[in-house]
Amino acid sequence: MHSNTAIQDEEDKLHEECGVFGVFCNDPERDAAALVYYGLLSLQHRGQESAGIAAVKDKTIECRKGMGLAGEIFTPELLSQIKGSAAVGHVRYSTFGSSSIENAQPFVSRFKLGSIAVAHNGTLTNADVVRELLEDSGIGFTSSSDSEVIVNLIAKNYKKGLEKALTDTIKFIKGSYALAVLTDDALVGARDPNGIRPLCLGKLNGGWILASESCAIDAVGGEFVRDIEPGEVIIINREQVLSFSFSEKTRRAVCAFEYVYFARPDSVIDQVDVYGARIRAGEILGRESAVKADLVIGVPDSGIPAAIGYGRATGTPFGLGIVKSKYVGRTFISPDQNKRERAVSVKHNVIKSEVRGKRVVLIDDSIVRGTTSRRLVSILKGAGAKEVHIRICSPPVCSPCYFGIDTPHRKDLISNGTSASDLGKTLGADSLAFISVEGLLESLSVLDAIGDKNGDAPVSIKAGPERSYCLGCFTGEYPIPVSGETGE
Ligand code: SF4
């Protein structure tokens, strides 16, 4: 699962695996690949190792991929090679399979009856078994990615017709997946029966968009329509938009970490606005573990809304005490601890005049290895902060993720087997507290009103019993059985 140590160790964070984006234009003259390019730029936070776009024209799929950021790979010249009125794209951070061009997506398969391109966000938990079965039946693989299993299964079943090929494929695979699939004449979206990874639908000038996050629909001037439901397949072609459920056993279990850290704050996922959830998490932290202080600051970027919420709830003045350099590259960082800690100093600096002589509450989204927190406490104290109290808006991360998020080994998760107070001491803080699991759920279930773009009255949606979240990395209980771990 963990393949590129130099890159995965570069930050003390969990990493999202991928982002997907697809466009189907009703006007055959429109350039869908260019729209996908802009969509990928908005999803770049979900993966920076490779990017790819596949477009279909005259029933031929052309695909271009490269290593690095979408904005660097897709020059105007490269984009001009992939014209078409429908296209899918992908940005990748590797968890399954190495970081190499062979594993970059979309994966394309050309066969007797047509061709398909698949962009996948998530991780299949039975990829090895399915791969072996496919290899036994003579199907070759060009990569080590679990996502190639999906493209080969669809291609194998294609003679049954697209709809049947999709349902047969999807019933066979297990794990987390949000898919954007391009065929000779259709764009297809699908989400696993628990909806662990997000996928939403948008409209654009009579055409349609599929995106991992709603911020990417906004980026191309589209209109958000709705989330793809867990266990739903949607097929979009010139004649119709067909939606059906491929699984009766659906139970929403969206990754709670999407709201804590992965998603962009301007996205709305399954009717929860990410920014609002972060503010509420800070408010709840303030309620659960307030401490007397002169200033509350957030670790940029996702700690900032939570710090605002904490300040509101406790009356502690909010300030910007830490500045993050947006231009620190990933390549120079190697996995040893010293270099990692130095990387944190390059990445974050303290505004000394803001923190000097003050009791500071430092809010961050999560603690994974502890490298960032330890270093930030040290530079805050070095800048003259009288006290530093860490407050974390997710519960302790003690277990690995099996659903598309890059997590260190259990032994490297610093919260594993340690109390919050001991961990606080280890990190040099005056106190440390995490939000409770109940508090995190409350931040997600008390939803902000979401208005539509027609200006209609906003609707408020309360979490019902059918709404729940994956909390596996916090609780060790997973929505899908995982070998060696407890199911819910
Ligand atoms: S285990 Fe954690 S990171 Fe993985 S899907 Fe569940 S909540 Fe998200």
Side-chain angles (χ1 to χ4, degrees):
M1 182 168 176
H2 308 294
S3 49
N4 190 328
T5 314
I7 292 178
Q8 71 185 233
D9 282 355
E10 148 274 324
E11 273 191 289
D12 181 24
K13 289 286 176 202
L14 299 188
H15 284 280
E16 181 56 85
E17 187 185 0
C18 303
V20 301
F21 193 84
V23 172
F24 188 94
C25 301
N26 274 330
D27 176 356
E29 295 310 311
R30 281 208 74 167
D31 183 359
L35 291 167
V36 169
Y37 168 72
Y38 289 114
L40 294 186
L41 292 183
S42 305
L43 295 173
Q44 193 77 80
H45 59 287
R46 299 182 72 87
Q48 299 95 38
E49 284 183 36
S50 62
I53 299 175
V56 63
K57 188 170 187 173
D58 302 330
K59 296 201 173 285
T60 303
I61 292 181
E62 284 294 336
C63 182
R64 298 290 181 274
K65 311 184 235 192
M67 299 302 293
L69 303 175
E72 293 164 359
I73 299 163
F74 288 100
T75 58
E77 197 201 339
L78 194 66
L79 267 177
S80 70
Q81 297 170 12
I82 39 172
K83 293 272 181 248
S85 58
V88 292
H90 189 270
V91 287
R92 176 168 192 264
Y93 180 90
S94 60
T95 58
F96 195 114
S98 60
S99 170
S100 64
I101 190 67
E102 289 75 34
N103 287 330
Q105 296 192 40
F107 283 109
V108 178
S109 176
R110 297 184 177 85
F111 44 97
K112 219 163 69 187
L113 298 173
S115 46
I116 52 168
V118 171
H120 168 217
N121 174 206
T123 294
L124 303 188
T125 50
N126 65 342
D128 288 350
V129 180
V130 182
R131 189 183 175 107
E132 212 175 306
L133 285 171
L134 287 168
E135 281 175 340
D136 287 349
S137 69
I139 292 170
F141 283 77
T142 58
S143 77
S144 56
S145 165
D146 58 336
S147 310
E148 200 183 359
V149 159
I150 302 172
V151 76
N152 282 340
L153 263 179
I154 300 175
K156 184 173 186 284
N157 289 319
Y158 208 78
K159 56 180 174 301
K160 301 173 187 168
L162 177 61
E163 212 176 302
K164 187 83 174 72
L166 286 166
T167 38
D168 283 3
T169 297
I170 279 163
K171 280 183 176 160
F172 211 58
I173 56 178
K174 295 196 170 20
S176 64
Y177 48 90
L179 299 174
V181 179
L182 185 68
T183 73
D184 291 346
D185 55 12
L187 172 68
V188 180
R191 203 170 166 198
D192 70 70
N194 297 105
I196 294 175
R197 303 260 75 86
L199 187 66
C200 58
L201 178 71
K203 244 185 170 167
L204 180 73
N205 301 330
W208 297 92
I209 300 168
L210 290 167
S212 289
E213 287 183 41
S214 62
C215 67
I217 295 176
D218 299 339
V220 296
E223 185 187 345
F224 174 82
V225 175
R226 66 176 175 85
D227 294 283
I228 303 300
E229 290 298 314
E232 179 185 1
V233 172
I234 188 160
I235 302 178
I236 301 161
N237 59 29
R238 291 228 182 281
E239 285 78 48
Q240 60 176 350
V241 177
L242 175 72
S243 157
F244 59 91
S245 178
F246 62 84
S247 168
E248 280 163 21
K249 286 194 197 145
T250 62
R251 186 188 66 109
R252 200 181 293 270
V254 192
C255 167
F257 235 113
E258 289 283 349
Y259 302 96
V260 170
Y261 173 67
F262 302 136
R264 255 176 50 166
D266 50 337
S267 287
V268 177
I269 297 176
D270 286 345
Q271 295 160 329
V272 178
D273 75 308
V274 174
Y275 179 75
R278 288 179 189 165
I279 294 262
R280 285 191 294 276
E283 289 170 349
I284 293 163
L285 258 178
R287 199 179 69 210
E288 289 185 342
S289 57
V291 62
K292 277 208 170 105
D294 309 303
L295 178 73
V296 55
I297 61 176
V299 181
D301 297 312
S302 43
I304 289 181
I308 295 171
Y310 181 96
R312 276 184 201 163
T314 59
T316 313
F318 163 78
L320 286 180
I322 294 173
V323 173
K324 176 177 159 189
S325 167
K326 295 192 184 346
Y327 306 103
V328 178
R330 14 181 65 228
T331 45
F332 72 98
I333 297 165
S334 72
D336 78 75
Q337 190 75 10
N338 279 341
K339 287 186 184 160
R340 219 182 280 138
E341 291 192 7
R342 204 172 315 133
V344 176
S345 335
V346 174
K347 193 152 193 173
H348 295 112
N349 199 13
V350 171
I351 302 175
K352 297 183 185 66
S353 58
E354 181 73 347
V355 304
R356 192 176 299 126
K358 290 183 181 158
R359 296 168 298 176
V360 177
V361 177
L362 174 69
I363 311 264
D364 204 354
D365 50 73
S366 54
I367 293 185
V368 180
R369 296 172 190 273
T371 324
T372 308
S373 314
R374 185 183 285 118
R375 183 67 195 160
L376 288 177
V377 171
S378 153
I379 57 176
L380 280 165
K381 292 209 165 174
K386 249 190 344 203
E387 294 171 14
V388 178
H389 302 272
I390 303 177
R391 295 293 179 270
I392 301 294
C393 26
S394 62
V397 176
C398 296
S399 302
C401 175
Y402 297 91
F403 310 125
I405 301 304
D406 187 20
T407 17
H409 293 293
R410 203 183 287 265
K411 68 175 173 38
D412 294 325
L413 296 168
I414 198 167
S415 301
N416 195 23
T418 314
S419 70
S421 66
D422 285 350
L423 181 54
K425 283 179 202 139
T426 308
L427 300 176
D430 293 276
S431 75
L432 182 149
F434 294 90
I435 197 169
S436 63
V437 169
E438 296 71 29
L440 175 62
L441 287 174
E442 186 186 333
S443 77
L444 307 178
S445 63
V446 184
L447 303 183
D448 266 2
I450 300 164
D452 69 22
K453 292 194 172 145
N454 301 322
D456 290 343
V459 284
S460 189
I461 304 142
K462 271 263 175 205
E466 77 290 348
R467 174 177 286 278
S468 64
Y469 295 91
C470 176
L471 297 163
C473 51
F474 310 119
T475 61
E477 292 177 354
Y478 299 88
I480 303 171
V482 176
S483 146
E485 300 279 0
T486 338
E488 280 181 338

